[in-house]
Each structure stands twice: as structure tokens, then as C-alpha cells.
């Protein structure tokens, strides 16, 4: 179930939000502590503002409002454990038809021993639902919460358990799939009641948490830092929906990739890997595809029979996009940049017997890569360029700095220009190239190719590249 918290500060605004939220949510949470003026009369108005079930929550612990909500017959009230066990027992004894949620919040950390102790403490009070919410300081904190949900389910106890914060975002999707009663999704950005809350529409339309069969769901995701910019969640979830698969794709914001792999390998089915972990992840895999090994970067992990294998689909994705325009053999290429993406594309060009020069801001990085591959190198500060194809793999021109270009427009003449950046789809570099009558390739083509290859590796299906490109 999706619960939308109503966080308006005025009663009229709250009633409007309740109407909007009722179109998406299964249940609403009326946050009395967000309202500037709330009395018994306005509480009655608010409680009749929707046909959906309502949880009344007052983090200011005002007993008169809680008792009035129960008297008015609200479906649920949420009592924070801090209000005191004696008072909670008293409210439970006089709750009429209202169901009681007893909750605990730790805004600083997630601690396994502590959440288990709190679970036992709340359980003794015999509320209908136990709610435990903590802050995730590390992606692995989510596993503490998932274990707690499993334990509650085994004991036939209803539970709401989540991690707050950006490192806890995955729990807002996965907790319900593991058996939590509900997850909170905000009505819109800016209307969150807690940090890390996902927009409710996205929980429903992108992640499809209603449709997925929780106990059998296959979990895929992007591992990186940062991850918020990625289009993967839109693309892969849409494809899984189209293929009618019980799969979900989430963003894992990770600090230590080794520890993440060790902790999560039991629950994931496949992963995408992005900055800064494409090289770092390799020692934690059971097997690495020979091409990925040579490149020294893995952007795709497949789990089969409990074993993790790493692949690189960036290389094949980029080369496919280039070969739609020109052959590699005996053509001259220049790559701007010497990072992970440059490495993958450079490897592909050399394999295809293209001639290559690598230009980079930090010259010794260009030199190192060029020496590995046996090609020429230089700095970005060039005055003349005579090649068949120029490829930008630097992040210059990427959102939000969309008016930047890594190279002077005057140098772009009679060549194919490929920018790996896909946000925006047409960068300043590509606009300049087009203005100089050059042919162009957008990073969206590479993204679509590499995503299609990932999907083939994960689920064995061929997905049309143009279908993916349309979503970027
Ligand atoms: P990376 O390993 O961090 O490399 C970044 C490169 O950009 C380095 O060569 C760096 O030069 C250069 N650079 C950064 N800021 C610069 C500046 N202000 N001026 C000049 N050079 C600068 O990153 P990556 O993984 O290769 O990713 C690079 C880009 O590729 C990103 O925009 C990413 O979104 C995109 N990408 C696209 C796809 C796709 O499917 N279309 C796939 C993967 C990546 P120094 O060595 O001097 O720092």
C-alpha cells in the first residue's frame, strides 16, 4: 500500500491535497503537527475530506487531538513511543474501532540491536501495527530493516519499517515487497514528511509496487555515487513492465562497493555499475568477461546460480553507435578524455583496428591509457584536428553546465562527432558540430545500446534500442 502524508500548513490547503492524494494513495496520513492551527472542529472537517482510510499522526503528541480523532472514528492513529507506555496503554484501552500504530523514529542512525529491542518493546504494547523508522547512514542499514520486516512477518506481526535519507531510498520501494504494510510517498517534491521520500506517483507508475509480487520479485539496480541523475530507473522499469516481468530496478547509493556486494548479493539478480565503481568492483566478482577484464571496467553484473559475473556493455554500446555511421578499420579517431568511458571506447576502436589519439586535461592519464593501448596522446589544448571521428568522453557539457563544450567549434570540420553525454541529448558540442555541417551521434544512442545489451544479459530478451531511446 502507498500512504501519502498530508503536510500542508493550512486546513484548506490540506483538504485540497487530500483530494489530490486520494487519486493515487491507498491510505492518507494526516500530519496534524504540520498544520499551523488545528482544533477539534477543523479535525472533523479534515477527517471527512476523503473516502480513503486515514492515519492521524501528531508528532507534537497532543493528547486532546489524538483522543478527538479516535472519538471521531478515524481509521488509525500513530502514537510515537516517546509519548510514554502508560499513556499508550490508556489510549489502546479506549480506542473504539480505531487501529493503533505505535512508532519509533531514530533520526541519527540504524542500529541492529536497538531496532530489535524497540520491536520487542512495542510488541508488548499490542498495537495493531508496529512502526520503526531509522536514518540510513550506509546502504547496508537497509538490510537491518529488511531483516526486521522478515522477523515481524514470521511472528505474524504487522509492521511498517523504513530507512530515511537518500541512502535509505531503496527501503521505500523494497520494504513493501518484503512484507511491510505500507510505504510513504509524497504528493509532490517539497511535500515530503521525512527525508528520502519518493514521489507517490513514481512508486506507482515507475516502480509498480502495487503490481509486483513481493515474495518473488527479482531485484536489479544501479550501484554508484551519485546515482540520482540516472535514467536507468525509468528505462529498465518500463521495459520490465512491457515484458510483464516481476522485476524492479532501483538506485543503490553506495559508499563502499565491496561491502555492498558482500551484503546484497543474496537479494539482487543483476546490477548496473557506474561512477566511481566500474574498476573497483572487479575483485568482488566470481568471474569477469574477458573484454571487461581487458578494459578494466565492469558496468554490468549478472547473477546466475548464485555467482556474479561482470561485463562491459559501454564498449559494445558505443562501438555499435559509431558503426552505424563509419567503419572502425583504418579510420582516424580522437577521444577527448581518459576516464572509464574513454577506456571502454578506446579498447573497442583499437580492437576494430581504428587509428586513435587520446586527448585529456590531465596529460599523464592520457599517456597511461595510450601506452596501454599503443596509440598517440596529447592535451585538450589543440589548434588543428583532421580525423574522421571525434568522441567526447569528458563530462564537459553535461547538465547543468549545458553551455560548455570541451573543444573550440572551429576545430569541428568534416567529421563525425559523438558525445557520450546523454543529458542533454544534444550537447553544445553536438550543436556546434551540426552548425559546422558535421554528422553527430548523441550519447542517447550509446545509452540505449548499452542498456539493451544489459537487458539481454539479465533477462535474455531483445529490446528495441529505439524504444529505450524514446524514454531518455
Ligand atoms: P570519469 O572516469 O570520471 O572521467 C571523466 C573524464 O572527464 C576525465 O578524462 C576528466 O579529465 C574529464 N573531465 C572532467 N571534467 C573536465 C573539465 N572540466 N575539463 C576537461 N576535462 C574534464 O567519468 P566517465 O565514467 O568516463 O564518464 C564520463 C561521461 O560519460 C559522463 O558524462 C557520463 O555520464 C558519460 N557516460 C555516458 C554513457 C552513455 O551510455 N551514454 C555511459 C557511461 C558514461 P581528467 O582526467 O583531467 O580529470
Amino acid at each position: 500500500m502507498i500512504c501519502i502524508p498530508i503536510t500542508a500548513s493550512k486546513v484548506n490547503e490540506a483538504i485540497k491535497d487530500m483530494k489530490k492524494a486520494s487519486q493515487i494513495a491507498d491510505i492518507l496520513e494526516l500530519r496534524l503537527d504540520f498544520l499551523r492551527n488545528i482544533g477539534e472542529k477543523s479535525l472533523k472537517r479534515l477527517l471527512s475530506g476523503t473516502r480513503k482510510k486515514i492515519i492521524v499522526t501528531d508528532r507534537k503528541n497532543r493528547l486532546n487531538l489524538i483522543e478527538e480523532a479516535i472519538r471521531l472514528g478515524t481509521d488509525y492513529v500513530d502514537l510515537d513511543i516517546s509519548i510514554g507506555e502508560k499513556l499508550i496503554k490508556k489510549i489502546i484501552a479506549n480506542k473504539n474501532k480505531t487501529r493503533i500504530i505505535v512508532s519509533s523514529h531514530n533520526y541519527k542512525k540504524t542500529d541492529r540491536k536497538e531496532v530489535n529491542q524497540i520491536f520487542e518493546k512495542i510488541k508488548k504494547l499490542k498495537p495493531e501495527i508496529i512502526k520503526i523508522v531509522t536514518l540510513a547512514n550506509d546502504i547496508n542499514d537497509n538490510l537491518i530493516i529488511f531483516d526486521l520486516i522478515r522477523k515481524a512477518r514470521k511472528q505474524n506481526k504487522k509492521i511498517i519499517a523504513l530507512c530515511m535519507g537518500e541512502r535509505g531510498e531503496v527501503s521505500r520501494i523494497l520494504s513493501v515487497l518484503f512484507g511491510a504494510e505500507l510505504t510513504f510517498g509524497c504528493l509532490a517534491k517539497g511535500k515530503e514528511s521525512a527525508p528520502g521520500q519518493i514521489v507517490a506517483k513514481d512508486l506507482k507508475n515507475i516502480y509498480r509496487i502495487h503490481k509486483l509480487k513481493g515474495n518473488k520479485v527479482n531485484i536489479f539496480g544501479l550501484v554508484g555515487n551519485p546515482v540520482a541523475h540516472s535514467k536507468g530507473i525509468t528505462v529498465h522499469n518500463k521495459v520490465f513492465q512491457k515484458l510483464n516481468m516481476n522485476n524492479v530496478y532501483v538506485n543503490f547509493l553506495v559508499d563502499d562497493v565491496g561491502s555492498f556486494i558482500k551484503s546484497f548479493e543474496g537479494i539482487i539478480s543483476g546490477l548496473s555499475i557506474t561512477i566511481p565503481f566500474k574498476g573497483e568492483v572487479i575483485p568482488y566478482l566470481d568471474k569477469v568477461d574477458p573484454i571487461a577484464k581487458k578494459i578494466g571496467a565492469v558496468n554490468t553484473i549478472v547473477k546466475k546460480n548464485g555467482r556474479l559475473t561482470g561485463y562491459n556493455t559501454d564498449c559494445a554500446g558505443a562501438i555499435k553507435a559509431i558503426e552505424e555511421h563509419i567503419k572502425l578499420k583504418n579510420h582516424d579517431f580522437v577521444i577527448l578524455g581518459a576516464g572509464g568511458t574513454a577506456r571502454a571506447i578506446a579498447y573497442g576502436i583499437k580492437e576494430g583496428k581504428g587509428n586513435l589519439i587520446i586527448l585529456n586535461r590531465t596529460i599523464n592519464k592520457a599517456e597511461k591509457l595510450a601506452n596501454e593501448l599503443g596509440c598517440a596522446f596529447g592535451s585538450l589544448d589543440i589548434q588543428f584536428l583532421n580525423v574522421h571521428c571525434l568522441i567526447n568522453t569528458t563530462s564537459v557539457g553535461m547538465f547543468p553546465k549545458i553551455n560548455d563544450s570541451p573543444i573550440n567549434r572551429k576545430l569541428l570540420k568534416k567529421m563525425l562527432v559523438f558525445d557520450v553525454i546523454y543529458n542533454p541529448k544534444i550537447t553544445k558540442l553536438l550543436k556546434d558540430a551540426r552548425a559546422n555541417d558535421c554528422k553527430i551521434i548523441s550519447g542517447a544512442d550509446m545509452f540505449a545500446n548499452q542498456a539493451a545489451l544489459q537487458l539481454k544479459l539479465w533477462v535474455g530478451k531483445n529490446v528495441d534500442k529505439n524504444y529505450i531511446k524514446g524514454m531518455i
Side-chain angles (χ1 to χ4, degrees):
M1 283 203 298
I2 297 174
C3 177
I4 299 187
I6 303 298
T7 57
S9 59
K10 291 180 185 155
V11 171
N12 285 344
E13 204 187 309
I15 289 174
K16 274 189 206 156
D17 282 356
M18 286 172 82
K19 287 213 164 69
K20 283 188 209 156
S22 300
Q23 290 167 18
I24 310 159
D26 304 293
I27 182 166
L28 309 187
E29 183 190 36
L30 188 56
R31 286 292 298 261
L32 302 184
D33 46 312
F34 275 76
L35 288 160
R36 249 181 263 141
N37 286 310
I38 173 82
E40 291 173 5
K41 224 171 161 185
S42 37
L43 182 59
K44 192 172 179 184
R45 253 185 87 204
L46 285 160
L47 289 182
S48 52
T50 178
R51 285 204 190 129
K52 297 275 168 160
K53 289 202 171 4
I54 298 183
I55 302 170
V56 170
T57 301
D58 184 35
R59 293 277 167 260
K60 290 181 181 161
N61 290 343
R62 286 166 292 189
L63 194 58
N64 63 323
L65 290 175
I66 293 164
E67 284 177 340
E68 183 60 12
I70 292 174
R71 205 185 59 73
L72 291 167
T74 190
D75 306 289
Y76 295 88
V77 294
D78 178 327
L79 305 172
D80 193 287
I81 188 98
S82 64
I83 167 173
E85 288 180 34
K86 220 169 150 186
L87 214 50
I88 291 173
K89 280 182 188 160
K90 187 181 157 220
I91 295 168
I92 289 179
N94 298 294
K95 72 185 185 70
N96 301 328
K97 280 187 198 154
T98 299
R99 278 165 277 182
I100 305 294
I101 301 168
V102 175
S103 61
S104 155
H105 301 79
N106 189 329
Y107 295 97
K108 289 197 174 135
K109 62 175 183 184
T110 306
D111 179 87
R112 190 177 287 277
K113 195 169 161 199
E114 185 187 276
V115 295
N116 281 296
Q117 281 170 350
I118 290 170
F119 175 79
E120 296 304 328
K121 192 171 160 187
I122 297 180
K123 202 169 82 179
K124 276 193 196 137
L125 297 168
K126 297 197 175 117
E128 272 83 5
I129 301 179
I130 299 166
K131 178 178 166 193
I132 295 177
V133 180
T134 58
L135 178 76
N137 292 308
D138 184 272
I139 189 77
N140 291 348
D141 288 344
N142 292 283
L143 292 173
I144 296 175
I145 289 299
F146 300 155
D147 286 346
L148 184 72
I149 295 169
R150 285 195 199 100
K151 172 172 150 178
R153 297 284 298 178
K154 267 194 189 156
Q155 298 180 18
N156 280 327
K157 297 289 167 209
K158 290 187 173 172
I159 189 162
I160 301 168
L162 292 166
C163 279
M164 295 179 285
E166 51 179 349
R167 282 165 180 74
E169 218 181 87
V170 288
S171 73
R172 297 187 176 274
I173 302 151
L174 300 182
S175 66
V176 273
L177 300 176
F178 290 136
E181 286 300 300
L182 60 82
T183 185
F184 295 90
C186 57
L187 183 58
K189 284 263 170 247
K191 290 187 183 272
E192 298 88 350
S193 63
Q197 231 163 51
I198 297 172
V199 177
K201 258 191 192 157
D202 292 347
L203 287 172
K204 201 166 182 171
N205 300 337
I206 295 180
Y207 298 105
R208 302 174 296 133
I209 64 168
H210 280 75
K211 299 265 169 75
L212 295 170
K213 293 179 199 80
N215 52 351
K216 286 187 184 149
V217 73
N218 302 306
I219 299 167
F220 295 82
L222 174 70
V223 177
N225 194 338
V227 284
H229 65 285
S230 168
K231 301 272 183 195
I233 49 168
T234 313
V235 167
H236 292 302
N237 284 309
K238 203 80 206 153
V239 172
F240 291 151
Q241 180 179 8
K242 192 173 184 240
L243 296 173
N244 207 8
M245 290 182 140
N246 196 39
N247 297 355
V248 68
Y249 186 94
V250 297
N251 281 344
F252 294 107
L253 179 61
V254 167
D255 300 290
D256 177 340
V257 76
S259 147
F260 169 82
I261 295 285
K262 281 181 203 156
S263 313
F264 275 77
E265 68 177 321
I267 66 162
I268 55 95
S269 297
L271 295 169
S272 313
I273 307 290
T274 189
I275 298 171
F277 301 127
K278 287 182 185 178
E280 231 177 278
V281 75
I282 291 177
Y284 303 100
L285 305 177
D286 299 303
K287 217 174 133 194
V288 180
D289 171 72
I291 294 173
K293 202 179 227 167
K294 272 197 182 155
I295 296 168
V298 158
N299 78 324
T300 307
I301 295 175
V302 178
K303 189 165 98 176
K304 265 201 188 114
N305 304 325
R307 285 167 63 82
L308 302 179
T309 305
Y311 297 86
N312 189 305
T313 65
D314 281 337
C315 173
I319 297 301
K320 207 170 167 214
I322 296 169
E323 284 183 330
E324 278 173 18
H325 296 265
I326 56 167
K327 284 189 180 140
L328 301 180
K329 196 170 176 183
N330 297 333
H331 279 103
D332 300 328
F333 293 84
V334 65
I335 290 183
L336 310 180
T341 311
R343 176 172 281 278
I345 301 178
Y347 171 84
I349 291 172
K350 288 302 285 179
E351 278 291 299
K353 304 209 172 358
N355 308 314
L356 179 63
I357 307 168
I358 294 166
L359 306 179
N360 195 40
R361 176 179 64 177
T362 311
I363 191 109
N364 58 346
K365 280 199 208 160
E367 183 177 10
K368 187 172 176 286
L369 182 56
N371 287 344
E372 272 179 49
L373 292 164
C375 66
F377 68 93
S379 81
L380 286 178
D381 188 19
I382 44 161
Q383 307 301 321
F384 178 72
L385 200 54
N386 182 17
V387 288
H388 297 105
C389 178
L390 172 130
I391 304 161
N392 174 44
T393 70
T394 75
S395 42
V396 180
M398 192 166 82
F399 180 84
K401 293 186 174 172
I402 57 168
N403 293 319
D404 291 355
S405 170
I407 203 153
N408 191 321
R409 178 180 157 172
K410 279 190 266 175
L411 300 172
L412 307 170
K413 279 185 192 146
K414 291 186 192 157
M415 60 179 77
L416 174 66
V417 179
F418 171 19
D419 198 333
V420 300
I421 292 170
Y422 60 84
N423 184 11
K425 269 189 196 170
I426 303 296
T427 56
K428 169 83 165 57
L429 173 71
L430 294 185
K431 280 183 192 162
D432 287 348
R434 217 156 42 182
N436 287 5
D437 288 331
C438 295
K439 282 196 175 164
I440 62 165
I441 307 174
S442 161
D445 287 275
M446 172 180 168
F447 184 90
N449 287 338
Q450 69 78 24
L453 289 165
Q454 283 194 329
L455 286 157
K456 178 84 180 166
L457 286 166
W458 288 334
V459 299
K461 304 270 183 200
N462 292 315
V463 182
D464 180 11
K465 167 203 158 175
N466 290 319
Y467 175 69
I468 297 177
K469 207 175 149 191
M471 288 186 262
I472 303 167

